[in-house]
Amino acid sequence: MCIVALAWQVLDDLPVCLISNRDEFYHRPSTQLQSWSNSPIIAGQDLQSGGTWMGVTPQGRWAVITNYRDGADKQTYPTTRGYLIQAFLASDQTPIRFAQALEKQQRDYAGFNLFVGDRQQAVYMSNRGEAPQVLSQGVFVVSNGLMSDDWEKTKHLRQRFTQEFLPMLQVPAIPEQDLQFAVWDILEDERKIIPDLLPNTGINPEMEALLSSTFIQSPIYGTRCSNFLRISSTQIDWIEKTQQGEHMGELVEIKRVIENKKP
């Protein structure tokens, strides 16, 4: 997962509204969004190393991770970052307690940005320079640098998310198809950042430019799926759009109504 925009406690009765793209090598095998067998986890799954890049549970726990890009880091790590999502979703720790415990083992993982949360609390951390922090109400966007770096790539997505999309969610009875069209339009934006405004992450300038758009395409690497997640007090709605491979353009929709819970 390489770019995420999160509106946390911004909208009435919608504590979580999140859109994201997962970028990965095309040859890396994975499954589409689904309920995992013998597990509370709802997510896609990485079939190479296990774990996942984004997931939820029917109880309203959610998590999403992006890689931290550092071209100078040639170290190998004992544990896949995708395990972190699985570990949080399967636990009963509060988001901040989970993140604080993870901080003690964070160097066992390649660089990451991690959001973990439920309906009451959301936490962000990075093992490359950001200690666990409980998020206040607001919009948060992160790609493959620290959230505080505020790359041009994340500024562009933040602008479109806050100015184009979030206002649509406040329009009474807006058609669901209009919301989905807007989400995919934003996440499929191939606008590149001009060279002078690119970050320096230790890779060559041509690759830096290729990776500067919200939606990435190349012969071997790019955006594999796009996601639109909403969690209200009583319901979870998650739509995943496959962006590469034999299922390209296919929508997988997961909807969970939380029973025995007052609005």
Side-chain angles (χ1 to χ4, degrees), residues 197-216:
L197 297 179
L198 291 173
N200 181 5
T201 64
I203 62 176
N204 67 65
E206 292 77 16
M207 183 60 69
E208 202 77 79
L210 175 71
L211 301 178
S212 71
S213 55
T214 301
F215 187 86
I216 297 169

Side-chain angles (χ1 to χ4, degrees), residues 105-260:
Q105 290 87 34
Q106 62 181 2
R107 288 295 170 177
D108 292 342
Y109 300 88
F112 65 78
N113 293 287
L114 178 68
F115 290 102
V116 292
D118 52 28
R119 288 180 171 83
Q120 290 74 45
Q121 186 182 78
V123 171
Y124 163 77
M125 68 172 290
S126 171
N127 66 340
R128 293 299 185 265
E130 296 280 3
Q133 53 189 280
V134 176
L135 300 180
S136 58
Q137 178 189 55
V139 173
F140 304 91
V141 183
V142 67
S143 181
N144 303 115
L146 299 177
M147 187 165 66
S148 58
D149 289 341
D150 207 18
W151 290 357
E152 291 298 318
K153 175 175 180 170
T154 58
K155 288 181 182 178
H156 179 64
L157 179 58
R158 178 189 299 275
Q159 181 180 42
R160 295 201 65 188
F161 185 59
T162 57
Q163 296 183 12
E164 297 179 31
F165 182 66
L166 293 184
M168 294 178 67
L169 288 171
Q170 301 176 55
V171 176
I174 187 167
E176 175 69 16
Q177 63 184 15
D178 290 356
L179 291 177
Q180 291 186 31
F181 179 86
V183 168
W184 309 138
D185 184 63
I186 291 170
L187 291 176
E188 293 167 7
D189 189 340
E190 297 185 59
R191 172 186 179 272
K192 300 289 192 295
I193 306 301
I194 63 173
D196 289 348
L197 297 179
L198 291 173
N200 181 5
T201 64
I203 62 176
N204 67 65
E206 292 77 16
M207 183 60 69
E208 202 77 79
L210 175 71
L211 301 178
S212 71
S213 55
T214 301
F215 187 86
I216 297 169
Q217 284 187 306
S218 80
I220 61 171
Y221 179 91
T223 301
R224 296 277 300 271
C225 67
S226 299
N227 297 274
F228 177 24
L229 173 66
R230 288 161 288 176
I231 301 178
S232 72
S233 62
T234 58
Q235 188 164 304
I236 298 171
D237 291 277
W238 183 356
I239 303 170
E240 177 189 84
K241 182 178 182 181
T242 303
Q243 299 285 13
Q244 183 273 338
E246 61 178 323
H247 300 290
M248 185 171 178
E250 181 175 318
L251 300 181
V252 178
E253 184 168 1
I254 298 286
K255 179 176 289 189
R256 290 289 186 273
V257 176
I258 309 305
E259 298 178 353
N260 301 320

